[in-house]
Amino acid sequence: MSTVIERPETPVDDLPIDEELITDSVDAVLGMALSTSTREDIDGKTLALFGHLNLLLAEELGADEDPKVKELFHEAYRHLDMKGRPNKETPAFSAFSYMRQTAFLTQRFLKVYEKRSGTGVS
């Protein structure tokens, strides 16, 4: 006889931010060199950073109380606007630069998140 134990699933919104994973992703991107990076690598890393940044954007980081955080949100939304994103015709140098900008922006959001939540991997 077998029994099945059902556990309630944790809603995705309640899962903690994986600060170490985000830090590792940002560090990997910032350690890349254009001369040794393929366009496929650049696009893949940029997509991963989008995921991390979107998770952080969904957090309550105090933008209503802190004008600097509010401006950071505005900067992120401008950066993520589809009109400014690289596409297949974008030169590799520009896509690489955009990827690095995304990494720096993600890093800044992570610092705000760590300060707000009292956590941190460093």
Side-chain angles (χ1 to χ4, degrees), residues 56-77:
L56 292 165
L57 284 167
E59 292 296 309
E60 174 50 56
L61 299 177
D64 293 335
E65 303 92 38
D66 188 337
K68 289 181 182 181
V69 175
K70 187 174 189 171
E71 180 53 37
L72 187 59
F73 271 87
H74 288 301
E75 186 179 338
Y77 289 125

Side-chain angles (χ1 to χ4, degrees), residues 21-37:
L21 176 64
I22 295 172
T23 298
D24 289 348
S25 293
V26 167
D27 289 347
V29 165
L30 296 179
M32 291 172 67
L34 177 60
S35 61
T36 58
S37 300

Side-chain angles (χ1 to χ4, degrees), residues 68-113:
K68 289 181 182 181
V69 175
K70 187 174 189 171
E71 180 53 37
L72 187 59
F73 271 87
H74 288 301
E75 186 179 338
Y77 289 125
R78 281 190 304 269
H79 180 75
L80 293 172
D81 185 11
M82 292 300 286
K83 292 179 276 182
R85 290 186 187 184
N87 58 40
K88 291 182 184 202
E89 289 78 41
T90 304
F93 174 79
S94 296
F96 185 81
S97 177
Y98 184 86
M99 175 191 68
R100 287 183 58 85
Q101 291 171 351
T102 307
F104 284 126
L105 195 53
T106 303
Q107 187 177 55
R108 289 170 56 204
F109 264 93
L110 184 59
K111 287 184 188 305
V112 172
Y113 173 80

